mmCIF file with all atom_site columns, all heavy atoms in Angstrom:
data_model
loop_
_atom_site.group_PDB
_atom_site.id
_atom_site.type_symbol
_atom_site.label_atom_id
_atom_site.label_alt_id
_atom_site.label_comp_id
_atom_site.label_asym_id
_atom_site.label_entity_id
_atom_site.label_seq_id
_atom_site.pdbx_PDB_ins_code
_atom_site.Cartn_x
_atom_site.Cartn_y
_atom_site.Cartn_z
_atom_site.occupancy
_atom_site.B_iso_or_equiv
_atom_site.pdbx_formal_charge
_atom_site.auth_seq_id
_atom_site.auth_comp_id
_atom_site.auth_asym_id
_atom_site.auth_atom_id
_atom_site.pdbx_PDB_model_num
ATOM 1   N N   . ASP A 1 1  ? -56.263 -11.944 91.783 1.00 98.00 ? 24 ASP A N   1
ATOM 2   C CA  . ASP A 1 1  ? -57.653 -11.531 91.997 1.00 98.00 ? 24 ASP A CA  1
ATOM 3   C C   . ASP A 1 1  ? -58.100 -10.429 91.023 1.00 98.00 ? 24 ASP A C   1
ATOM 4   O O   . ASP A 1 1  ? -58.710 -9.439  91.429 1.00 98.00 ? 24 ASP A O   1
ATOM 5   C CB  . ASP A 1 1  ? -57.837 -11.065 93.449 1.00 98.00 ? 24 ASP A CB  1
ATOM 6   C CG  . ASP A 1 1  ? -59.313 -10.978 93.844 1.00 98.00 ? 24 ASP A CG  1
ATOM 7   O OD1 . ASP A 1 1  ? -60.130 -11.726 93.265 1.00 98.00 ? 24 ASP A OD1 1
ATOM 8   O OD2 . ASP A 1 1  ? -59.640 -10.162 94.727 1.00 98.00 ? 24 ASP A OD2 1
ATOM 9   N N   . THR A 1 2  ? -57.811 -10.626 89.745 1.00 98.00 ? 25 THR A N   1
ATOM 10  C CA  . THR A 1 2  ? -58.340 -9.710  88.731 1.00 98.00 ? 25 THR A CA  1
ATOM 11  C C   . THR A 1 2  ? -59.825 -10.023 88.514 1.00 98.00 ? 25 THR A C   1
ATOM 12  O O   . THR A 1 2  ? -60.283 -11.132 88.792 1.00 98.00 ? 25 THR A O   1
ATOM 13  C CB  . THR A 1 2  ? -57.571 -9.868  87.406 1.00 98.00 ? 25 THR A CB  1
ATOM 14  O OG1 . THR A 1 2  ? -57.561 -11.245 87.016 1.00 98.00 ? 25 THR A OG1 1
ATOM 15  C CG2 . THR A 1 2  ? -56.142 -9.372  87.551 1.00 98.00 ? 25 THR A CG2 1
ATOM 16  N N   . PRO A 1 3  ? -60.602 -9.071  88.015 1.00 98.00 ? 26 PRO A N   1
ATOM 17  C CA  . PRO A 1 3  ? -62.047 -9.298  87.846 1.00 98.00 ? 26 PRO A CA  1
ATOM 18  C C   . PRO A 1 3  ? -62.396 -10.494 86.963 1.00 98.00 ? 26 PRO A C   1
ATOM 19  O O   . PRO A 1 3  ? -63.415 -11.152 87.166 1.00 98.00 ? 26 PRO A O   1
ATOM 20  C CB  . PRO A 1 3  ? -62.532 -7.986  87.220 1.00 98.00 ? 26 PRO A CB  1
ATOM 21  C CG  . PRO A 1 3  ? -61.561 -6.955  87.717 1.00 98.00 ? 26 PRO A CG  1
ATOM 22  C CD  . PRO A 1 3  ? -60.240 -7.660  87.743 1.00 98.00 ? 26 PRO A CD  1
ATOM 23  N N   . GLY A 1 4  ? -61.572 -10.770 85.946 1.00 98.00 ? 27 GLY A N   1
ATOM 24  C CA  . GLY A 1 4  ? -61.819 -11.908 85.065 1.00 98.00 ? 27 GLY A CA  1
ATOM 25  C C   . GLY A 1 4  ? -60.522 -12.620 84.755 1.00 98.00 ? 27 GLY A C   1
ATOM 26  O O   . GLY A 1 4  ? -59.426 -12.126 85.040 1.00 98.00 ? 27 GLY A O   1
ATOM 27  N N   . ILE A 1 5  ? -60.640 -13.814 84.157 1.00 98.00 ? 28 ILE A N   1
ATOM 28  C CA  . ILE A 1 5  ? -59.469 -14.641 83.865 1.00 98.00 ? 28 ILE A CA  1
ATOM 29  C C   . ILE A 1 5  ? -59.542 -15.143 82.427 1.00 98.00 ? 28 ILE A C   1
ATOM 30  O O   . ILE A 1 5  ? -60.578 -15.651 81.992 1.00 98.00 ? 28 ILE A O   1
ATOM 31  C CB  . ILE A 1 5  ? -59.389 -15.847 84.828 1.00 98.00 ? 28 ILE A CB  1
ATOM 32  C CG1 . ILE A 1 5  ? -59.242 -15.367 86.277 1.00 98.00 ? 28 ILE A CG1 1
ATOM 33  C CG2 . ILE A 1 5  ? -58.224 -16.762 84.446 1.00 98.00 ? 28 ILE A CG2 1
ATOM 34  C CD1 . ILE A 1 5  ? -59.274 -16.486 87.306 1.00 98.00 ? 28 ILE A CD1 1
ATOM 35  N N   . ALA A 1 6  ? -58.429 -14.998 81.717 1.00 98.00 ? 29 ALA A N   1
ATOM 36  C CA  . ALA A 1 6  ? -58.322 -15.523 80.359 1.00 98.00 ? 29 ALA A CA  1
ATOM 37  C C   . ALA A 1 6  ? -57.394 -16.725 80.337 1.00 98.00 ? 29 ALA A C   1
ATOM 38  O O   . ALA A 1 6  ? -56.429 -16.785 81.108 1.00 98.00 ? 29 ALA A O   1
ATOM 39  C CB  . ALA A 1 6  ? -57.798 -14.451 79.403 1.00 98.00 ? 29 ALA A CB  1
ATOM 40  N N   . ILE A 1 7  ? -57.702 -17.676 79.467 1.00 97.00 ? 30 ILE A N   1
ATOM 41  C CA  . ILE A 1 7  ? -56.823 -18.821 79.236 1.00 97.00 ? 30 ILE A CA  1
ATOM 42  C C   . ILE A 1 7  ? -56.048 -18.535 77.963 1.00 97.00 ? 30 ILE A C   1
ATOM 43  O O   . ILE A 1 7  ? -56.622 -18.479 76.877 1.00 97.00 ? 30 ILE A O   1
ATOM 44  C CB  . ILE A 1 7  ? -57.626 -20.126 79.106 1.00 97.00 ? 30 ILE A CB  1
ATOM 45  C CG1 . ILE A 1 7  ? -58.395 -20.407 80.402 1.00 97.00 ? 30 ILE A CG1 1
ATOM 46  C CG2 . ILE A 1 7  ? -56.691 -21.292 78.773 1.00 97.00 ? 30 ILE A CG2 1
ATOM 47  C CD1 . ILE A 1 7  ? -59.289 -21.638 80.318 1.00 97.00 ? 30 ILE A CD1 1
ATOM 48  N N   . GLY A 1 8  ? -54.750 -18.317 78.092 1.00 94.00 ? 31 GLY A N   1
ATOM 49  C CA  . GLY A 1 8  ? -53.905 -18.000 76.950 1.00 94.00 ? 31 GLY A CA  1
ATOM 50  C C   . GLY A 1 8  ? -53.053 -19.181 76.530 1.00 94.00 ? 31 GLY A C   1
ATOM 51  O O   . GLY A 1 8  ? -53.123 -20.274 77.090 1.00 94.00 ? 31 GLY A O   1
ATOM 52  N N   . GLY A 1 9  ? -52.234 -18.942 75.518 1.00 92.00 ? 32 GLY A N   1
ATOM 53  C CA  . GLY A 1 9  ? -51.287 -19.956 75.081 1.00 92.00 ? 32 GLY A CA  1
ATOM 54  C C   . GLY A 1 9  ? -51.888 -21.137 74.366 1.00 92.00 ? 32 GLY A C   1
ATOM 55  O O   . GLY A 1 9  ? -51.262 -22.203 74.295 1.00 92.00 ? 32 GLY A O   1
ATOM 56  N N   . LEU A 1 10 ? -53.091 -20.976 73.828 1.00 93.00 ? 33 LEU A N   1
ATOM 57  C CA  . LEU A 1 10 ? -53.710 -22.021 73.021 1.00 93.00 ? 33 LEU A CA  1
ATOM 58  C C   . LEU A 1 10 ? -53.868 -21.506 71.592 1.00 93.00 ? 33 LEU A C   1
ATOM 59  O O   . LEU A 1 10 ? -53.727 -20.319 71.333 1.00 93.00 ? 33 LEU A O   1
ATOM 60  C CB  . LEU A 1 10 ? -55.066 -22.421 73.604 1.00 93.00 ? 33 LEU A CB  1
ATOM 61  C CG  . LEU A 1 10 ? -55.049 -23.008 75.017 1.00 93.00 ? 33 LEU A CG  1
ATOM 62  C CD1 . LEU A 1 10 ? -56.471 -23.268 75.515 1.00 93.00 ? 33 LEU A CD1 1
ATOM 63  C CD2 . LEU A 1 10 ? -54.235 -24.292 75.074 1.00 93.00 ? 33 LEU A CD2 1
ATOM 64  N N   . SER A 1 11 ? -54.175 -22.413 70.662 1.00 87.00 ? 34 SER A N   1
ATOM 65  C CA  . SER A 1 11 ? -54.239 -22.061 69.237 1.00 87.00 ? 34 SER A CA  1
ATOM 66  C C   . SER A 1 11 ? -52.910 -21.488 68.768 1.00 87.00 ? 34 SER A C   1
ATOM 67  O O   . SER A 1 11 ? -52.854 -20.476 68.066 1.00 87.00 ? 34 SER A O   1
ATOM 68  C CB  . SER A 1 11 ? -55.371 -21.058 68.963 1.00 87.00 ? 34 SER A CB  1
ATOM 69  O OG  . SER A 1 11 ? -56.624 -21.639 69.189 1.00 87.00 ? 34 SER A OG  1
ATOM 70  N N   . VAL A 1 12 ? -51.821 -22.132 69.173 1.00 88.00 ? 35 VAL A N   1
ATOM 71  C CA  . VAL A 1 12 ? -50.475 -21.671 68.795 1.00 88.00 ? 35 VAL A CA  1
ATOM 72  C C   . VAL A 1 12 ? -49.718 -22.769 68.047 1.00 88.00 ? 35 VAL A C   1
ATOM 73  O O   . VAL A 1 12 ? -48.498 -22.873 68.161 1.00 88.00 ? 35 VAL A O   1
ATOM 74  C CB  . VAL A 1 12 ? -49.678 -21.201 70.039 1.00 88.00 ? 35 VAL A CB  1
ATOM 75  C CG1 . VAL A 1 12 ? -50.228 -19.896 70.566 1.00 88.00 ? 35 VAL A CG1 1
ATOM 76  C CG2 . VAL A 1 12 ? -49.671 -22.272 71.138 1.00 88.00 ? 35 VAL A CG2 1
ATOM 77  N N   . GLY A 1 13 ? -50.474 -23.599 67.311 1.00 88.00 ? 36 GLY A N   1
ATOM 78  C CA  . GLY A 1 13 ? -49.836 -24.621 66.485 1.00 88.00 ? 36 GLY A CA  1
ATOM 79  C C   . GLY A 1 13 ? -50.099 -26.048 66.910 1.00 88.00 ? 36 GLY A C   1
ATOM 80  O O   . GLY A 1 13 ? -49.674 -26.984 66.224 1.00 88.00 ? 36 GLY A O   1
ATOM 81  N N   . GLU A 1 14 ? -50.823 -26.245 68.003 1.00 93.00 ? 37 GLU A N   1
ATOM 82  C CA  . GLU A 1 14 ? -51.098 -27.599 68.492 1.00 93.00 ? 37 GLU A CA  1
ATOM 83  C C   . GLU A 1 14 ? -52.271 -28.235 67.752 1.00 93.00 ? 37 GLU A C   1
ATOM 84  O O   . GLU A 1 14 ? -53.084 -27.541 67.139 1.00 93.00 ? 37 GLU A O   1
ATOM 85  C CB  . GLU A 1 14 ? -51.379 -27.570 70.004 1.00 93.00 ? 37 GLU A CB  1
ATOM 86  C CG  . GLU A 1 14 ? -52.746 -27.042 70.415 1.00 93.00 ? 37 GLU A CG  1
ATOM 87  C CD  . GLU A 1 14 ? -52.861 -25.528 70.424 1.00 93.00 ? 37 GLU A CD  1
ATOM 88  O OE1 . GLU A 1 14 ? -51.931 -24.856 69.944 1.00 93.00 ? 37 GLU A OE1 1
ATOM 89  O OE2 . GLU A 1 14 ? -53.889 -25.028 70.903 1.00 93.00 ? 37 GLU A OE2 1
ATOM 90  N N   . GLN A 1 15 ? -52.365 -29.570 67.827 1.00 95.00 ? 38 GLN A N   1
ATOM 91  C CA  . GLN A 1 15 ? -53.481 -30.284 67.230 1.00 95.00 ? 38 GLN A CA  1
ATOM 92  C C   . GLN A 1 15 ? -54.745 -30.070 68.057 1.00 95.00 ? 38 GLN A C   1
ATOM 93  O O   . GLN A 1 15 ? -54.687 -29.715 69.238 1.00 95.00 ? 38 GLN A O   1
ATOM 94  C CB  . GLN A 1 15 ? -53.168 -31.773 67.126 1.00 95.00 ? 38 GLN A CB  1
ATOM 95  C CG  . GLN A 1 15 ? -52.003 -32.087 66.195 1.00 95.00 ? 38 GLN A CG  1
ATOM 96  C CD  . GLN A 1 15 ? -51.656 -33.567 66.186 1.00 95.00 ? 38 GLN A CD  1
ATOM 97  O OE1 . GLN A 1 15 ? -51.762 -34.241 67.203 1.00 95.00 ? 38 GLN A OE1 1
ATOM 98  N NE2 . GLN A 1 15 ? -51.242 -34.072 65.024 1.00 95.00 ? 38 GLN A NE2 1
ATOM 99  N N   . ALA A 1 16 ? -55.904 -30.316 67.418 1.00 93.00 ? 39 ALA A N   1
ATOM 100 C CA  . ALA A 1 16 ? -57.187 -30.046 68.061 1.00 93.00 ? 39 ALA A CA  1
ATOM 101 C C   . ALA A 1 16 ? -57.349 -30.819 69.367 1.00 93.00 ? 39 ALA A C   1
ATOM 102 O O   . ALA A 1 16 ? -57.845 -30.282 70.363 1.00 93.00 ? 39 ALA A O   1
ATOM 103 C CB  . ALA A 1 16 ? -58.330 -30.374 67.111 1.00 93.00 ? 39 ALA A CB  1
ATOM 104 N N   . GLU A 1 17 ? -56.936 -32.089 69.385 1.00 96.00 ? 40 GLU A N   1
ATOM 105 C CA  . GLU A 1 17 ? -57.106 -32.885 70.603 1.00 96.00 ? 40 GLU A CA  1
ATOM 106 C C   . GLU A 1 17 ? -56.239 -32.362 71.746 1.00 96.00 ? 40 GLU A C   1
ATOM 107 O O   . GLU A 1 17 ? -56.623 -32.438 72.920 1.00 96.00 ? 40 GLU A O   1
ATOM 108 C CB  . GLU A 1 17 ? -56.809 -34.364 70.348 1.00 96.00 ? 40 GLU A CB  1
ATOM 109 C CG  . GLU A 1 17 ? -55.441 -34.675 69.797 1.00 96.00 ? 40 GLU A CG  1
ATOM 110 C CD  . GLU A 1 17 ? -55.410 -34.727 68.274 1.00 96.00 ? 40 GLU A CD  1
ATOM 111 O OE1 . GLU A 1 17 ? -56.258 -34.075 67.642 1.00 96.00 ? 40 GLU A OE1 1
ATOM 112 O OE2 . GLU A 1 17 ? -54.526 -35.430 67.729 1.00 96.00 ? 40 GLU A OE2 1
ATOM 113 N N   . VAL A 1 18 ? -55.067 -31.798 71.398 1.00 96.00 ? 41 VAL A N   1
ATOM 114 C CA  . VAL A 1 18 ? -54.204 -31.205 72.432 1.00 96.00 ? 41 VAL A CA  1
ATOM 115 C C   . VAL A 1 18 ? -54.842 -29.919 72.947 1.00 96.00 ? 41 VAL A C   1
ATOM 116 O O   . VAL A 1 18 ? -54.861 -29.664 74.162 1.00 96.00 ? 41 VAL A O   1
ATOM 117 C CB  . VAL A 1 18 ? -52.792 -30.937 71.867 1.00 96.00 ? 41 VAL A CB  1
ATOM 118 C CG1 . VAL A 1 18 ? -51.921 -30.230 72.907 1.00 96.00 ? 41 VAL A CG1 1
ATOM 119 C CG2 . VAL A 1 18 ? -52.140 -32.232 71.415 1.00 96.00 ? 41 VAL A CG2 1
ATOM 120 N N   . PHE A 1 19 ? -55.351 -29.110 72.033 1.00 95.00 ? 42 PHE A N   1
ATOM 121 C CA  . PHE A 1 19 ? -56.070 -27.892 72.435 1.00 95.00 ? 42 PHE A CA  1
ATOM 122 C C   . PHE A 1 19 ? -57.177 -28.234 73.420 1.00 95.00 ? 42 PHE A C   1
ATOM 123 O O   . PHE A 1 19 ? -57.290 -27.625 74.501 1.00 95.00 ? 42 PHE A O   1
ATOM 124 C CB  . PHE A 1 19 ? -56.651 -27.203 71.204 1.00 95.00 ? 42 PHE A CB  1
ATOM 125 C CG  . PHE A 1 19 ? -57.514 -26.004 71.518 1.00 95.00 ? 42 PHE A CG  1
ATOM 126 C CD1 . PHE A 1 19 ? -56.993 -24.729 71.468 1.00 95.00 ? 42 PHE A CD1 1
ATOM 127 C CD2 . PHE A 1 19 ? -58.851 -26.157 71.871 1.00 95.00 ? 42 PHE A CD2 1
ATOM 128 C CE1 . PHE A 1 19 ? -57.784 -23.616 71.767 1.00 95.00 ? 42 PHE A CE1 1
ATOM 129 C CE2 . PHE A 1 19 ? -59.648 -25.059 72.171 1.00 95.00 ? 42 PHE A CE2 1
ATOM 130 C CZ  . PHE A 1 19 ? -59.108 -23.788 72.113 1.00 95.00 ? 42 PHE A CZ  1
ATOM 131 N N   . ASN A 1 20 ? -58.012 -29.196 73.061 1.00 94.00 ? 43 ASN A N   1
ATOM 132 C CA  . ASN A 1 20 ? -59.152 -29.549 73.911 1.00 94.00 ? 43 ASN A CA  1
ATOM 133 C C   . ASN A 1 20 ? -58.704 -30.062 75.267 1.00 94.00 ? 43 ASN A C   1
ATOM 134 O O   . ASN A 1 20 ? -59.279 -29.709 76.302 1.00 94.00 ? 43 ASN A O   1
ATOM 135 C CB  . ASN A 1 20 ? -60.024 -30.589 73.211 1.00 94.00 ? 43 ASN A CB  1
ATOM 136 C CG  . ASN A 1 20 ? -60.813 -29.999 72.056 1.00 94.00 ? 43 ASN A CG  1
ATOM 137 O OD1 . ASN A 1 20 ? -61.185 -28.832 72.080 1.00 94.00 ? 43 ASN A OD1 1
ATOM 138 N ND2 . ASN A 1 20 ? -61.058 -30.792 71.028 1.00 94.00 ? 43 ASN A ND2 1
ATOM 139 N N   . GLU A 1 21 ? -57.665 -30.888 75.280 1.00 97.00 ? 44 GLU A N   1
ATOM 140 C CA  . GLU A 1 21 ? -57.171 -31.435 76.548 1.00 97.00 ? 44 GLU A CA  1
ATOM 141 C C   . GLU A 1 21 ? -56.733 -30.323 77.483 1.00 97.00 ? 44 GLU A C   1
ATOM 142 O O   . GLU A 1 21 ? -57.095 -30.310 78.674 1.00 97.00 ? 44 GLU A O   1
ATOM 143 C CB  . GLU A 1 21 ? -55.996 -32.381 76.280 1.00 97.00 ? 44 GLU A CB  1
ATOM 144 C CG  . GLU A 1 21 ? -55.357 -32.920 77.560 1.00 97.00 ? 44 GLU A CG  1
ATOM 145 C CD  . GLU A 1 21 ? -54.090 -33.734 77.302 1.00 97.00 ? 44 GLU A CD  1
ATOM 146 O OE1 . GLU A 1 21 ? -53.746 -33.938 76.112 1.00 97.00 ? 44 GLU A OE1 1
ATOM 147 O OE2 . GLU A 1 21 ? -53.451 -34.136 78.284 1.00 97.00 ? 44 GLU A OE2 1
ATOM 148 N N   . TYR A 1 22 ? -55.961 -29.366 76.960 1.00 97.00 ? 45 TYR A N   1
ATOM 149 C CA  . TYR A 1 22 ? -55.424 -28.312 77.823 1.00 97.00 ? 45 TYR A CA  1
ATOM 150 C C   . TYR A 1 22 ? -56.462 -27.238 78.141 1.00 97.00 ? 45 TYR A C   1
ATOM 151 O O   . TYR A 1 22 ? -56.417 -26.635 79.220 1.00 97.00 ? 45 TYR A O   1
ATOM 152 C CB  . TYR A 1 22 ? -54.156 -27.716 77.204 1.00 97.00 ? 45 TYR A CB  1
ATOM 153 C CG  . TYR A 1 22 ? -52.947 -28.559 77.540 1.00 97.00 ? 45 TYR A CG  1
ATOM 154 C CD1 . TYR A 1 22 ? -52.656 -29.702 76.798 1.00 97.00 ? 45 TYR A CD1 1
ATOM 155 C CD2 . TYR A 1 22 ? -52.140 -28.253 78.621 1.00 97.00 ? 45 TYR A CD2 1
ATOM 156 C CE1 . TYR A 1 22 ? -51.571 -30.516 77.122 1.00 97.00 ? 45 TYR A CE1 1
ATOM 157 C CE2 . TYR A 1 22 ? -51.051 -29.046 78.962 1.00 97.00 ? 45 TYR A CE2 1
ATOM 158 C CZ  . TYR A 1 22 ? -50.779 -30.178 78.210 1.00 97.00 ? 45 TYR A CZ  1
ATOM 159 O OH  . TYR A 1 22 ? -49.716 -30.975 78.552 1.00 97.00 ? 45 TYR A OH  1
ATOM 160 N N   . LEU A 1 23 ? -57.395 -27.015 77.248 1.00 97.00 ? 46 LEU A N   1
ATOM 161 C CA  . LEU A 1 23 ? -58.494 -26.107 77.572 1.00 97.00 ? 46 LEU A CA  1
ATOM 162 C C   . LEU A 1 23 ? -59.332 -26.683 78.706 1.00 97.00 ? 46 LEU A C   1
ATOM 163 O O   . LEU A 1 23 ? -59.602 -26.004 79.703 1.00 97.00 ? 46 LEU A O   1
ATOM 164 C CB  . LEU A 1 23 ? -59.372 -25.874 76.345 1.00 97.00 ? 46 LEU A CB  1
ATOM 165 C CG  . LEU A 1 23 ? -60.711 -25.157 76.619 1.00 97.00 ? 46 LEU A CG  1
ATOM 166 C CD1 . LEU A 1 23 ? -60.484 -23.773 77.187 1.00 97.00 ? 46 LEU A CD1 1
ATOM 167 C CD2 . LEU A 1 23 ? -61.559 -25.096 75.364 1.00 97.00 ? 46 LEU A CD2 1
ATOM 168 N N   . ASN A 1 24 ? -59.737 -27.940 78.557 1.00 95.00 ? 47 ASN A N   1
ATOM 169 C CA  . ASN A 1 24 ? -60.597 -28.567 79.558 1.00 95.00 ? 47 ASN A CA  1
ATOM 170 C C   . ASN A 1 24 ? -59.900 -28.630 80.906 1.00 95.00 ? 47 ASN A C   1
ATOM 171 O O   . ASN A 1 24 ? -60.498 -28.354 81.963 1.00 95.00 ? 47 ASN A O   1
ATOM 172 C CB  . ASN A 1 24 ? -61.001 -29.968 79.106 1.00 95.00 ? 47 ASN A CB  1
ATOM 173 C CG  . ASN A 1 24 ? -61.725 -29.965 77.770 1.00 95.00 ? 47 ASN A CG  1
ATOM 174 O OD1 . ASN A 1 24 ? -62.077 -28.917 77.240 1.00 95.00 ? 47 ASN A OD1 1
ATOM 175 N ND2 . ASN A 1 24 ? -61.938 -31.141 77.201 1.00 95.00 ? 47 ASN A ND2 1
ATOM 176 N N   . TRP A 1 25 ? -58.627 -29.002 80.886 1.00 95.00 ? 48 TRP A N   1
ATOM 177 C CA  . TRP A 1 25 ? -57.894 -29.159 82.142 1.00 95.00 ? 48 TRP A CA  1
ATOM 178 C C   . TRP A 1 25 ? -57.664 -27.806 82.815 1.00 95.00 ? 48 TRP A C   1
ATOM 179 O O   . TRP A 1 25 ? -57.840 -27.674 84.025 1.00 95.00 ? 48 TRP A O   1
ATOM 180 C CB  . TRP A 1 25 ? -56.555 -29.846 81.875 1.00 95.00 ? 48 TRP A CB  1
ATOM 181 C CG  . TRP A 1 25 ? -55.866 -30.279 83.134 1.00 95.00 ? 48 TRP A CG  1
ATOM 182 C CD1 . TRP A 1 25 ? -56.138 -31.389 83.890 1.00 95.00 ? 48 TRP A CD1 1
ATOM 183 C CD2 . TRP A 1 25 ? -54.807 -29.588 83.803 1.00 95.00 ? 48 TRP A CD2 1
ATOM 184 N NE1 . TRP A 1 25 ? -55.303 -31.424 84.981 1.00 95.00 ? 48 TRP A NE1 1
ATOM 185 C CE2 . TRP A 1 25 ? -54.472 -30.346 84.950 1.00 95.00 ? 48 TRP A CE2 1
ATOM 186 C CE3 . TRP A 1 25 ? -54.102 -28.430 83.539 1.00 95.00 ? 48 TRP A CE3 1
ATOM 187 C CZ2 . TRP A 1 25 ? -53.470 -29.977 85.828 1.00 95.00 ? 48 TRP A CZ2 1
ATOM 188 C CZ3 . TRP A 1 25 ? -53.097 -28.047 84.413 1.00 95.00 ? 48 TRP A CZ3 1
ATOM 189 C CH2 . TRP A 1 25 ? -52.784 -28.807 85.539 1.00 95.00 ? 48 TRP A CH2 1
ATOM 190 N N   . THR A 1 26 ? -57.291 -26.793 82.037 1.00 97.00 ? 49 THR A N   1
ATOM 191 C CA  . THR A 1 26 ? -57.056 -25.471 82.617 1.00 97.00 ? 49 THR A CA  1
ATOM 192 C C   . THR A 1 26 ? -58.349 -24.877 83.173 1.00 97.00 ? 49 THR A C   1
ATOM 193 O O   . THR A 1 26 ? -58.353 -24.273 84.259 1.00 97.00 ? 49 THR A O   1
ATOM 194 C CB  . THR A 1 26 ? -56.448 -24.517 81.575 1.00 97.00 ? 49 THR A CB  1
ATOM 195 O OG1 . THR A 1 26 ? -55.292 -25.124 80.985 1.00 97.00 ? 49 THR A OG1 1
ATOM 196 C CG2 . THR A 1 26 ? -56.057 -23.197 82.216 1.00 97.00 ? 49 THR A CG2 1
#
C-alpha cells in the first residue's frame, strides 16, 4: 500500500513486442 506503484524490470534487453506484452499484462 505505497502511495504509487512503478513497473520495473523492463527495457533490460528484451525485444519491443516482449516489452509491450509484459507492460500491458502487468
Side-chain angles (χ1 to χ4, degrees):
D24 195 28
T25 53
I28 298 175
I30 299 176
L33 298 176
S34 294
V35 289
E37 75 280 9
Q38 296 176 325
E40 57 268 26
V41 176
F42 175 97
N43 287 329
E44 176 187 356
Y45 277 82
L46 169 61
N47 302 351
W48 191 79
T49 307

